[in-house]
Amino acid sequence: GKNTYRFFSQQLNDAANERLLIESQLREAIALQQFVLFYQPKIDVQDDMLIGYEALIRWLRPDNTLVPPGRFIAVAESTGLIVQIGEWIILEACRFLARQHSRGYAVSVSINLSARQFNDNKLPAMIEQIIHRTGVDPAYLIFEITESMLMGDTDAAIKQLNQLKRLGISLSIDDFGTGYSSLNYLKRFPVDELKIDRSFVKDIPEDRNDMDIVSAIIAMAQKMQLRVVAEGVESAEQAAFLQENACYLVQGYYFSMPLPEQELSQLTFTIKT
Ligand code: C2E
Ligand code: CA
Ligand code: CA
Ligand code: CA
């Protein structure tokens, strides 16, 4: 009825206003450099060693509140602001990597790419320039993309993946298992790593189904000679299950939350050198 319509249109209005507000705040955040990267350790449980970090963006507002990416990445993506923010993320993560390497740590850094960034044909040249400028060894750079970014125009996607691979970087499929996984395509994508989505990990060891899916993904990754990483590991039981199933690379709160760079020194893992 009329009231219902009014209710929904008011909600739509609020949503649109909220987006506009976030958009103008994001522009300001870019200008005032209010973004920070946190780093979550990636552990190899075979020798309990810290082998890399995933860079995860946060927005530090002037009132000191830390806004998680779930609250602003979508707006950044739809407004195109992600291209600018994304370039900053890559530069900042490469500078971090250079600092780690200068201390003698042979760690990698994983960087999330959004769809808009991935579809930008200037992306490979931009990354190449940043590699050059920061002097990092591209063998330690991993870019994470999701399945859905690959499934539209697969020929264009493969071309872009190959352009990126030519830089000497690694590619990872994030949130694996949640998109339109087509094994047929997976074979054609020049990727190096699969990250098992947290949704399959979180109910281990209660959910038999999820355990079967996880062990199947691990087996498939091995068969395809892809590295496999489990994300969202929160308990000793989950870590043990993954290890028993030969998935040795893990990330999750059980090992460490994402941390700002200055807090990484508190970690007690042995760091790969
Ligand atoms: P993602 O790439 O799948 O990142 C993993 C998310 O899970 C992160 O949330 C991380 O903090 C969280 N996480 C890690 N371990 C655990 C755990 O054991 N339990 C639980 N419940 N969560 C865990 P975050 O940092 O809020 O990021 C959310 C999403 O935002 C990311 O999902 C990614 O899609 C996007 N994102 C984050 N940083 C960036 C970025 O720099 N660029 C782009 N394009 N997207 C980003
Ligand atoms: Ca990720
Ligand atoms: Ca993920
Ligand atoms: Ca995820």
Side-chain angles (χ1 to χ4, degrees):
K2 223 177 186 173
N3 288 327
T4 323
Y5 168 76
R6 211 156 30 339
F7 173 73
F8 279 118
S9 90
Q10 185 56 50
Q11 272 198 337
L12 281 175
N13 239 322
D14 290 348
N17 283 332
E18 158 125 356
R19 274 179 44 87
L20 274 176
L21 185 66
I22 296 179
E23 182 183 343
S24 70
Q25 290 179 342
L26 277 180
R27 287 187 196 282
E28 195 176 280
I30 294 170
L32 300 176
Q33 302 182 29
Q34 292 173 352
F35 296 108
V36 283
L37 293 184
F38 275 36
Y39 298 94
Q40 185 176 41
K42 184 186 204 173
I43 307 297
D44 183 340
V45 294
Q46 286 187 103
D47 43 15
D48 232 349
M49 211 175 261
L50 195 162
I51 60 154
Y53 297 96
E54 177 175 1
L56 294 156
I57 195 171
R58 276 97 185 84
W59 173 10
L60 182 61
R61 317 239 342 224
D63 63 1
N64 263 325
T65 52
L66 210 53
V67 186
R71 296 264 306 281
F72 63 88
I73 287 287
V75 177
E77 173 85 18
S78 65
T79 53
L81 291 171
I82 192 69
V83 174
Q84 224 180 319
I85 299 171
E87 182 167 352
W88 175 84
I89 292 167
I90 297 168
L91 177 61
E92 190 67 15
C94 286
R95 285 175 168 156
F96 166 78
L97 187 63
R99 287 191 291 274
Q100 292 293 311
H101 287 186
S102 74
R103 297 165 148 212
Y105 299 137
V107 292
S108 61
V109 69
S110 296
I111 301 171
N112 292 282
L113 291 178
S114 77
R116 193 115 164 196
Q117 271 180 294
F118 179 70
N119 293 328
D120 182 355
N121 56 22
K122 295 193 290 292
L123 179 73
M126 185 256 273
I127 294 174
E128 185 172 28
Q129 209 174 39
I130 291 177
I131 289 170
H132 194 78
R133 177 166 159 199
T134 56
V136 293
D137 180 348
Y140 292 88
L141 277 178
I142 303 169
F143 286 92
E144 297 190 1
I145 52 177
T146 60
E147 289 160 273
S148 54
M149 295 180 201
L150 302 174
M151 297 317 294
D153 183 346
T154 53
D155 289 336
I158 290 170
K159 215 172 137 195
Q160 183 75 323
L161 294 172
N162 283 323
Q163 296 282 336
L164 291 169
K165 286 291 298 176
R166 278 178 38 197
L167 304 175
I169 57 97
S170 296
L171 294 168
S172 176
I173 302 192
D174 202 1
D175 304 340
F176 187 76
T178 62
Y180 314 80
S181 327
S182 159
L183 300 182
N184 184 35
Y185 280 124
L186 190 57
K187 219 170 40 182
R188 295 173 49 205
F189 295 130
V191 297
D192 307 278
E193 180 183 277
L194 298 184
K195 289 187 88 171
I196 303 171
D197 190 63
R198 187 175 79 84
S199 60
F200 301 113
V201 174
K202 71 179 194 339
D203 295 324
I204 294 175
E206 289 81 30
D207 193 320
R208 199 54 250 179
N209 234 344
D210 286 347
M211 291 161 86
D212 289 342
I213 293 170
V214 167
S215 61
I217 294 176
I218 297 165
M220 185 193 67
Q222 281 168 344
K223 195 109 197 160
M224 299 181 72
Q225 294 178 303
L226 298 174
R227 212 158 55 214
V228 60
V229 182
E231 66 175 16
V233 181
E234 293 186 356
S235 71
E237 290 83 358
Q238 293 167 352
F241 173 82
L242 291 160
Q243 186 157 14
E244 280 156 25
N245 284 272
C247 173
Y248 302 115
L249 304 180
V250 291
Q251 276 180 245
Y253 296 167
Y254 178 66
F255 299 96
S256 172
M257 306 263 296
L259 297 168
E261 183 175 0
Q262 64 274 19
E263 286 176 31
L264 295 178
S265 56
Q266 299 167 6
L267 294 169
T268 54
F269 298 101
T270 308
I271 308 174
K272 194 176 170 204
T273 50

